[in-house]
Amino acid sequence: MRIRILLSALFLLASTANIFSFSPNKSARRTLDFYFIDSEGGAATLIITPARESVLIDAGWADVGGRDAKRIQQAMQQAGITAIDHLVATHYHQDHYGGIPDLSQLVTIKHFYDHGKMTAMTEDPRFAERYGAYQAAAKNHTATLKPGDTIKLKTAAGTPPIKILCVAANSAVISGKESKANPECGATTPQEDTSENGRSVALLLSWGGFEFLNLADLTFNISQRLVCPVNRIGEVDLYQMTHHGGNVNNNPLLLESIRPSVSVMVNGPRKGGHPDTIMWLQKTPSFKALYQLHRNLQIPAEQNTATEFIANLDEQPDEGYMITASVDAAKRAFTVTNGRTKESKTFLFK
Ligand SMILES: [Zn+2]
């Protein structure tokens, strides 16, 4: 009897201890997470959805000894995932899709998306070899994204649905509902553009009132067609500036129309991050912050964004600090963290 009482007491103690040591289930935390991975002037943006699916937009450079693939793998480890569910190759320039063969050697990639098949590209003498390596990594199973297409994603229980919409691809833009004319446009006439940058897949992610726009290297002309004569994008909270923040393709009209609160430049120490673009953005109504993956070393330090918003200050190729963002739809806020300083700032949805 005494033993039974003792056992019961022990059981009670154990289960009570268990109750009190119970911590909130990690999976109950439903955020949408972004990792802007430094590929030294290329692009690689990892998105983890609230249902813990992964979407990678571009995979950095070819011919860098697997550096960018390793950085993507490190970001995946930090995110607690082991495979890429959806990989979008925005266009066939080596700073965007070049790293895919290296990445496919390290991790499983389940679905590939791009703007369509191509047989030649005049500006890349090694196009056949690089495109062949990409197709081999994808085992020739690639899906073509057209404006209006979405990437099928799961909705996490208790959270709003998530949508990734293709707004431009292969030099075409989403038609969408025609609404009232965008007053920013004036008498502009959008031009045709069939450059490879102009063929970039551009994606708009929406989740519970939060909007993220990634234009890859979309050009001035196609950007203009996205917002003129009608604004087909609306306003966004977080914007990955097109073309690494260079001034040729960032269109002030686009910035005035989409009015991003927070922008991220995926620039390199000597690529993109143009002072004109930085100035245009800072003049945009609703501007809250600009993050740069690198300080642009070709201009005076003060023409860059403030140092606290820069992930990599010098030319130290081993650093590769990221910018990350975590979105909480319930709080209608997102928190952006500089990987170098570990400092975070929180911004409210529009
Ligand atoms: Zn690029």
Side-chain angles (χ1 to χ4, degrees), residues 217-296:
D217 283 356
L218 205 67
T219 55
F220 184 96
N221 289 325
I222 307 289
S223 297
Q224 190 143 317
R225 288 173 57 200
L226 277 175
V227 293
C228 290
V230 296
N231 182 352
R232 299 158 209 268
I233 302 291
E235 297 192 9
V236 305
D237 300 283
L238 184 60
Y239 172 48
Q240 180 176 320
M241 301 202 76
T242 189
H243 207 208
H244 316 278
N247 68 337
V248 174
N249 286 318
N250 269 283
N251 187 332
L253 196 50
L254 175 98
L255 296 174
E256 286 157 18
S257 303
I258 64 170
R259 301 186 175 207
S261 305
V262 178
S263 298
V264 179
M265 266 181 189
V266 294
N267 64 322
R270 295 172 191 282
K271 181 180 170 188
H274 195 280
D276 286 352
T277 317
I278 295 170
M279 184 188 65
W280 293 333
L281 188 68
Q282 288 169 341
K283 283 198 314 197
T284 305
S286 82
F287 171 81
K288 298 239 172 62
L290 164 64
Y291 287 82
Q292 292 176 210
L293 275 181
H294 278 267
R295 174 181 276 162
N296 180 350

Side-chain angles (χ1 to χ4, degrees), residues 115-166:
H115 67 58
K117 298 240 187 278
M118 275 183 53
T119 50
M121 187 194 295
T122 45
E123 66 260 42
D124 184 359
R126 291 174 58 193
F127 177 75
E129 176 199 335
R130 289 192 175 121
Y131 186 75
Y134 163 61
Q135 286 294 335
K139 300 188 177 66
N140 291 310
H141 283 293
T142 55
T144 301
L145 284 174
K146 295 188 289 300
D149 288 349
T150 54
I151 294 174
K152 272 211 167 13
L153 296 170
K154 293 178 191 136
T155 298
T159 71
I162 182 167
K163 182 172 163 188
I164 296 185
L165 173 68
C166 173

Side-chain angles (χ1 to χ4, degrees), residues 324-347:
T324 57
S326 186
V327 185
D328 189 330
K331 292 183 179 157
R332 295 189 60 79
F334 60 106
T335 299
V336 184
T337 303
N338 181 338
R340 174 176 61 84
T341 62
K342 312 285 184 279
E343 278 179 22
S344 300
K345 285 192 190 301
T346 297
F347 305 90

